[in-house]
Amino acid sequence: MKILILSRNAQLYSTSRLLEAARERGHDAAVVDYLRCYMNIAASRPQVMFGGKPLIKVDAVIPRIGATHTFYGTAVVRQFEVMDVYPLNQSEAITRSRDKLRSLQLLSRKGIGLPVTALAHSTKDVTGVIETVGGAPLVVKLLEGTQGIGVVLCETTKAAESVMEAFRGLDAQILAQEFIKEASGVDIRCLVIGNKVVAAMKREAGQDEFRSNLHRGGKATKVKITPQERSTAVRAAKTMGLRVAGVDLLRSNHGPLVLEVNSSPGLEGIEGATNIDVAGKIIEHIEKNVSLPSA
Ligand code: ADP
């Protein structure tokens, strides 16, 4: 098969592992910078061009689109879809998952457990928002944040009011969420491929920190998850329409709660913590799902 990995940097761990896994399994694989792809949007022969040449006879693409380039990156993925190329994750699902609020609304509609979350436009409604999530302590999040940046734990109602007013003063979109204290700075990352969780790790926040992001000094170790956690992660990925996803869960005293569903989950932390060849399993999934024209 000819497999293209749409990534800005071939040196990144996840990108290089996917390339290596595809080649190990005998495929013709390459990394293509999606920001250097340009497109011919025509009814007769739609194409994706790279370095002055059309990318032809591609069987599958693996999108690794950075959060800052969702618009152009998903346009490139969509163009491959127009050309009937199999995308590991579809452009629409990637776009959907990039909108935190929309994602939470979709998950809630399917009855998937979530921390109680509230959103308001006007600072006049801050008190109502705080009451909705059960008062302080609570977590305020920037809708545009990643890697734990813009996630603030507010211990008191006064602090929550100030933080929300400050963010809104800068015209940032925010949401407020009940603080899941019993999670004790631990979250669970489930790597879903198709209908299965193929690997799971727990991330523990560093000292004096409630955010367990590895970028914030969190520590990752292998974890055994419960059947309920397993089915929650698979349902969350399915609800978002993602074939491959990193689903983050918090362990609350009323079951697993979904924090986020990531469409380009990093492989370094999870492969390191679990010793599982996740990249190989992703390529295997593509092999099972791409229907090659019969010779
Ligand atoms: P990001 O997308 O920036 O990583 P998250 O919403 O995943 O932001 O939050 C970062 C981390 O903060 C999580 O991994 C978790 O450890 C912690 N956290 C986030 N929301 C809550 C919450 N409602 N209750 C307790 N801990 C939380």
Side-chain angles (χ1 to χ4, degrees), residues 10-111:
Q11 310 305 319
L12 293 175
Y13 179 92
S14 304
T15 305
S16 69
R17 279 287 296 124
L18 287 162
L19 183 67
E20 180 183 65
R23 289 185 175 158
E24 260 170 21
R25 297 178 69 90
H27 302 295
D28 171 10
V31 176
V32 168
D33 178 357
Y34 54 89
L35 290 188
R36 297 300 311 277
C37 288
Y38 56 102
M39 296 166 264
N40 166 3
I41 304 161
S44 62
R45 224 158 42 94
Q47 283 180 325
V48 175
M49 314 283 289
F50 181 73
K53 293 199 188 90
L55 293 167
I56 53 168
K57 296 194 174 141
V58 181
D59 297 300
V61 289
I62 303 180
R64 300 288 311 178
I65 311 299
T68 44
H69 297 295
T70 304
F71 175 78
Y72 196 79
T74 53
V76 174
V77 177
R78 203 177 311 115
Q79 182 74 359
F80 279 109
E81 289 163 6
V82 171
M83 293 157 59
D84 281 332
V85 173
Y86 175 89
L88 180 66
N89 276 329
Q90 287 156 304
S91 56
E92 209 183 331
I94 299 171
T95 307
R96 196 183 287 134
S97 73
R98 290 288 156 90
D99 183 335
K100 275 194 191 188
L101 183 64
R102 185 175 174 199
S103 303
L104 292 176
Q105 287 172 321
L106 288 168
L107 295 168
S108 82
R109 196 170 170 184
K110 291 281 173 192

Side-chain angles (χ1 to χ4, degrees), residues 132-147:
T132 305
V133 301
L138 61 93
V139 178
V140 176
K141 296 185 185 184
L142 277 179
L143 276 181
E144 300 292 315
T146 58
Q147 302 177 349

Side-chain angles (χ1 to χ4, degrees), residues 100 115 139 141 145-149 151 177-180 187 203 210-213 248 250 259-260:
K100 275 194 191 188
V139 178
K141 296 185 185 184
T146 58
Q147 302 177 349
I149 298 165
V151 178
Q177 212 163 54
E178 83 178 292
F179 175 53
I180 309 300
D187 79 354
R203 295 178 297 198
F210 78 103
R211 297 166 298 179
S212 52
N213 304 70
D248 295 340
L250 287 181
L259 263 190
E260 198 175 18

